[in-house]
Amino acid sequence: LSMVSFEEFKKVIKNEVIEALPEEYLPCEWRFDTIKKSGYEYEALMISPDKSNGPTVIPALNITDAYKQYTDGNDLDGIVEELVSIRISATPNFGFNIEDVIDFDKCKNRIIPRIVNTKNNSEYLRGKICKHIQDLSILYSVVVSRDENGCAAAAITDEIANAWGVSIDEIHNVAMANLEKEKPLFCDITSMLFGGVKSIPIDNIDITKCNVPYFVLTSEYKSHGATMVLNHTIMKKITEAIGDVYIIPSSVDEVIIVPKNISDDIDGLNEMLREINAADVKPEEQLSDNVYTWSVEDGLTIA
């Protein structure tokens, strides 16, 4: 495929993706949508089975990012393969039917929290159930598919919550209880940066055996792993082992934890975080420009 314009690329990529889908996804309906999230706007391809096949979860396939990959010289077949994989990963698995989303009792064990920056997601948050913590918002989603390649989840909207007949507080409490069951990945930052990640058991943290006293906290799935900082039990065990901490919200996928007795330069940490966000973190993956702290009494607060 010779270099083409974005509009031409959209037509080509749509046809290629649909042609590459397995038979069970056909016939299908498709459309292009503009998605605004985390201060980032992109064109998305939405592919759903024919309406006669019932409702489904429709992931927003990022065509803007795909076009950038294409103009950067990436192979078109590889781009198509990735988009098809994302679409397939949204198919409900492990005995869950998307129709079950309207049944609270069938959903409550699958409700998970996610955290995003409030200001950057003001439009995305509209019409969705959420709670606010400082400059962050907690969203709630129903997991419909999850494996080593990622997680597909349906955000809980006001409409869904009303159909359930449950309050925001009840949804929040269920999500927090489910989060307590999630397995964390906690390691020193060098093992995350340079490979060979070795998770430190939360119940047996020995800071003297770590390469450096800067730590990464995420989930075993890593995607949207920054949510683990909302896990009260995990955070309590970490602070009991290493003392008071600063939390650097480096992205929606993880946070960096710095013991206060190692670095008490809050201005320096804030400057470092803002430089990282500006240079290294995609807008849609940025969580906050503010360093946080955590305590048993107050939970998460801006330092």
Side-chain angles (χ1 to χ4, degrees):
L1 179 68
S2 58
M3 195 60 64
V4 297
S5 70
F6 180 59
E7 290 303 316
E8 291 171 319
F9 177 81
K10 285 169 57 177
K11 296 175 185 177
V12 171
I13 204 74
K14 180 262 294 182
N15 291 335
E16 292 283 339
V17 169
I18 291 175
E19 185 176 331
L21 284 171
E23 284 188 14
E24 59 265 30
Y25 289 82
L26 304 173
C28 67
E29 296 183 347
W30 62 270
R31 70 181 189 275
F32 287 107
D33 276 349
T34 300
I35 307 295
K36 296 179 180 179
K37 188 176 180 181
S38 299
Y40 171 66
E41 181 176 307
Y42 64 92
E43 193 83 357
L45 173 61
M46 317 289 284
I47 299 176
S48 61
D50 185 88
K51 286 182 178 177
S52 61
N53 294 335
T56 187
V57 174
I58 308 174
L61 304 180
N62 191 328
I63 303 304
T64 301
D65 184 62
Y67 185 65
K68 183 179 185 307
Q69 293 180 43
Y70 163 70
T71 57
D72 286 344
N74 289 333
D75 179 65
L76 182 66
D77 289 342
I79 296 172
V80 170
E81 183 179 343
E82 181 180 359
L83 292 174
V84 170
S85 175
I86 293 170
R87 178 60 191 87
I88 292 174
S89 72
T91 302
N93 60 17
F94 53 82
F96 184 74
N97 297 313
I98 193 60
E99 294 92 339
D100 293 342
V101 166
I102 61 174
D103 188 327
F104 179 68
D105 287 334
K106 292 181 178 178
C107 288
K108 60 185 179 182
N109 290 332
R110 304 174 185 273
I111 296 175
I112 60 170
R114 285 179 171 176
I115 48 177
V116 298
N117 183 275
T118 303
K119 182 179 178 181
N120 291 345
N121 289 275
S122 58
E123 186 167 339
Y124 179 72
L125 291 170
R126 194 171 295 128
K128 295 181 176 68
I129 295 296
C130 60
K131 280 182 173 284
H132 306 296
I133 302 177
Q134 307 284 290
D135 67 343
L136 305 175
S137 291
I138 307 175
L139 287 166
Y140 309 94
S141 298
V142 178
V143 174
V144 297
S145 170
R146 176 183 273 179
D147 57 29
E148 66 276 3
N149 296 317
C151 171
I156 299 174
T157 61
D158 294 334
E159 185 178 5
I160 291 174
N162 289 335
W164 285 346
V166 297
S167 67
I168 294 177
D169 287 340
E170 186 171 358
I171 292 171
H172 175 82
N173 291 338
V174 167
M176 291 302 107
N178 290 336
L179 183 64
E180 291 283 334
K181 303 171 188 175
E182 295 278 331
K183 293 181 180 179
L185 194 163
F186 181 70
C187 62
D188 73 59
I189 197 168
T190 57
S191 66
M192 181 67 81
L193 291 175
F194 302 112
V197 175
K198 184 177 181 181
S199 185
I200 301 169
I202 293 293
D203 293 317
N204 187 28
I205 299 173
D206 185 352
I207 197 171
T208 64
K209 294 183 179 180
C210 300
N211 295 323
V212 294
Y214 282 49
F215 304 91
V216 174
L217 175 64
T218 183
S219 70
E220 64 174 330
Y221 297 103
K222 298 185 180 68
S223 177
H224 289 277
T227 307
M228 293 305 297
V229 80
L230 301 176
N231 187 319
H232 184 90
T233 300
I234 295 299
M235 289 304 303
K236 187 171 184 289
K237 289 180 178 179
I238 290 173
T239 54
E240 284 175 348
I242 67 179
D244 293 337
V245 297
Y246 288 120
I247 297 166
I248 301 175
S250 51
S251 81
V252 295
D253 292 329
E254 79 284 304
V255 298
I256 299 171
I257 294 179
V258 181
K260 286 187 178 180
N261 61 7
I262 299 297
S263 176
D264 201 25
D265 179 11
I266 185 61
D267 291 335
L269 290 175
N270 272 312
E271 182 179 355
M272 177 183 73
L273 171 60
R274 288 161 190 168
E275 288 177 352
I276 291 173
N277 277 340
D280 300 322
V281 184
K282 295 178 180 179
E284 65 270 27
E285 295 176 358
Q286 292 180 15
L287 191 53
S288 176
D289 276 337
N290 294 304
V291 171
Y292 275 70
T293 188
W294 188 93
S295 69
V296 171
E297 298 77 19
D298 301 321
L300 278 175
T301 54
I302 292 176

